[in-house]
């Protein structure tokens, strides 16, 4: 089913790990002047992608300048690891087993570092992600292991697990 999803939804490798395909980008834009200073140019109202990780790919720690929602569709449950700017660390588990406190959707606030991995590495996890204002790669920052560990040494184990060397 993994290969079928990759083919059916035209998923490509994502810089953070896993696979993605953009499925929506609003035609309307928000002018740069109406946005907070952290944005360097106009942004679409919103964007959405399909995103898939498997046992060989994690979503490495990264952060965005915008809020992002994840919506679980199918597959193995996904642990989403979040480090907030104040150093607070949290794990949210995405899935459909509500008796185990799994959540079908999750807000990842702007400015927090987050990454994800499967709870069962023999499977895959398939989600949609929506960003408001819309995603632009200039708003994406992939974590560098040494720099993130220096900021949050108390989380060095998970940082090591969800970053590439460097």
């Amino acid at each position: 089913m993994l290969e079928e999803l990759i083919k059916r939804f035209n998923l490509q490798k994502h810089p953070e790990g896993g696979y993605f395909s953009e499925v929506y980008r609003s035609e309307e834009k928000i002018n740069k002047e109406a946005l907070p200073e952290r944005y360097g140019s106009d942004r679409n109202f919103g964007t959405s992608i399909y995103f898939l990780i498997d046992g060989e790919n994690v979503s490495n720690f990264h952060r965005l300048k915008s809020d992002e929602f994840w919506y679980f569709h199918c597959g193995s449950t996904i642990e989403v690891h979040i480090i907030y700017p104040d150093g607070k660390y949290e794990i949210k588990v995405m899935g459909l087993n509500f008796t185990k406190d799994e959540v079908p959707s999750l807000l990842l606030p702007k400015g927090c570092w987050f990454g994800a991995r499967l709870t069962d590495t023999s499977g895959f996890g398939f989600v949609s992600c929506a960003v408001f204002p819309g995603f632009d790669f200039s708003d994406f920052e992939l974590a560098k292991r040494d720099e993130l560990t220096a900021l949050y040494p108390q989380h060095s184990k998970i940082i090591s697990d969800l970053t590439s060397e460097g």
Side-chain angles (χ1 to χ4, degrees):
M1 183 165 190
L2 174 67
E3 292 302 320
E4 182 180 334
L5 287 170
I6 291 170
K7 184 177 178 182
R8 177 178 297 254
F9 295 106
N10 194 30
L11 302 175
Q12 308 297 315
K13 289 277 191 178
H14 196 290
E16 78 192 50
Y19 304 87
F20 83 107
S21 178
E22 185 173 273
V23 294
Y24 173 74
R25 179 169 294 273
S26 66
E27 291 182 15
E28 295 181 292
K29 292 193 174 191
I30 304 168
N31 291 328
K32 173 186 170 185
E33 294 76 24
L35 291 166
E37 290 182 26
R38 67 182 176 269
Y39 299 101
S41 60
D42 298 352
R43 291 290 178 275
N44 300 86
F45 284 179
T47 56
S48 184
I49 65 169
Y50 288 130
F51 183 69
L52 181 141
I53 56 176
D54 61 19
E56 296 179 18
N57 292 280
V58 299
S59 168
N60 284 298
F61 273 112
H62 62 287
R63 66 180 172 182
L64 302 177
K65 293 180 182 178
S66 299
D67 292 339
E68 181 172 22
F69 272 96
W70 282 29
Y71 304 95
F72 185 86
H73 295 302
C74 65
S76 300
T77 55
I78 301 171
E79 291 179 345
V80 182
H81 298 263
I82 309 163
I83 302 174
Y84 296 90
D86 66 1
K88 177 185 169 192
Y89 170 71
E90 186 173 27
I91 301 172
K92 295 283 190 175
V93 180
M94 296 194 74
L96 301 176
N97 189 339
F98 309 124
T99 62
K100 290 189 175 181
D101 293 326
E102 294 174 3
V103 296
S105 65
L106 176 63
L107 168 66
L108 297 154
K110 69 183 179 309
C112 67
W113 292 99
F114 62 97
R117 63 183 174 193
L118 298 177
T119 58
D120 173 5
T121 58
S122 68
F124 66 89
F126 188 52
V127 299
S128 287
C129 306
V131 179
F132 307 98
F135 179 81
D136 186 286
F137 266 106
S138 66
D139 301 336
F140 172 85
E141 182 180 2
L142 191 59
K144 295 181 176 80
R145 181 179 294 166
D146 294 343
E147 292 176 12
L148 198 57
T149 301
L151 286 174
Y152 306 108
Q154 69 274 33
H155 307 309
S156 61
K157 172 67 171 105
I158 191 62
I159 291 169
S160 178
D161 290 350
L162 295 180
T163 55
S164 298
E165 289 189 44

